[in-house]
Amino acid sequence: METHPLTAREQRAWEGYRRMQGLLASQLNRHLLRETGLSEADFVILDALLAAPDHRLRSLALRCEVQWEKSRLSHHLARMQQRGLVAREECPEDSRGAVFRLTDAGRAAVTAAAGHRVAAIRSYLLDLLTPEQMDTLGDVSEAVLTRLAREDPHRHAIAELARPDPGARSNPGA
């Protein structure tokens, strides 16, 4: 494959995105931890369980939902179990599988954290954008996610993330 170096414009766009993504994720995580005691990782898992039928997901479905590696999810869920945010149950359809359930404490934590998370997302990103920039950000995200889904069809969930239904979740932190 023949490649060409990035132009100055392309380099500016890439480096800006890379730096922004890393710093924004770190800032959102710090804000959520300070205000609620939940990490962004905790929130993502709790939010996925909150949106699931009966607030339960098999570990494989949860892994697909949050797009994490198996070992990362396993270790994080173990820590969340110790804190009483999730409970592990045996899978009735498959004795080798596990189902994770949102506990009452987990539901309370994610519900309490949702407003803080939305406020941080608005403060650190959305309030800085014009409506046109917000539309462009949505278009760029959709294009990249669609391409990634095409490159790896086993990660079909990526394509679904590219076309979110704003009314799909009742949780304002989704």
Side-chain angles (χ1 to χ4, degrees):
M1 173 177 21
E2 185 178 333
T3 61
H4 302 284
L6 297 178
T7 65
R9 182 182 194 188
E10 291 168 334
Q11 186 68 31
R12 177 180 177 265
W14 171 249
E15 287 299 322
Y17 163 78
R18 187 187 60 74
R19 290 178 53 229
M20 178 196 69
Q21 186 275 332
L23 290 171
L24 181 59
S26 179
Q27 182 64 31
L28 290 172
N29 189 59
R30 280 193 306 274
H31 178 90
L32 198 60
L33 267 171
R34 181 180 65 244
E35 297 297 323
T36 70
L38 292 179
S39 68
E40 180 70 11
D42 294 334
F43 187 92
V44 167
I45 290 171
L46 294 173
D47 191 51
L49 290 170
L50 184 64
D54 298 325
H55 308 299
R56 289 175 164 78
L57 282 174
R58 289 186 63 161
S59 55
L60 179 59
L62 184 56
R63 196 170 103 212
C64 290
E65 178 71 24
V66 299
Q67 297 291 308
W68 288 4
E69 296 298 322
K70 185 178 181 179
S71 63
R72 177 182 181 199
L73 182 62
S74 178
H75 291 301
H76 201 88
L77 285 169
R79 290 189 298 272
M80 291 178 76
Q81 278 182 267
Q82 291 173 348
R83 293 165 50 206
L85 300 172
V86 299
R88 184 182 192 280
E89 301 172 346
E90 296 303 316
C91 180
E93 297 89 24
D94 178 5
S95 61
R96 297 174 299 160
V99 172
F100 286 89
R101 174 181 52 82
L102 184 65
T103 64
D104 290 341
R107 181 190 328 255
V110 73
T111 301
H116 292 283
R117 185 170 186 258
V118 168
I121 290 168
R122 288 190 188 285
S123 174
Y124 297 118
L125 178 63
L126 300 179
D127 289 348
L128 306 175
L129 304 178
T130 66
E132 294 78 19
Q133 289 171 322
M134 203 170 310
D135 290 341
T136 299
L137 180 60
D139 292 344
V140 168
S141 299
E142 185 174 334
V144 171
L145 290 169
T146 299
R147 171 63 184 263
L148 292 174
R150 195 169 52 241
E151 293 290 318
D152 187 357
H154 294 101
R155 295 179 70 188
H156 178 67
I158 294 173
E160 294 304 313
L161 293 173
R163 291 178 289 286
D165 176 2
R169 291 187 178 181
S170 59
N171 180 0

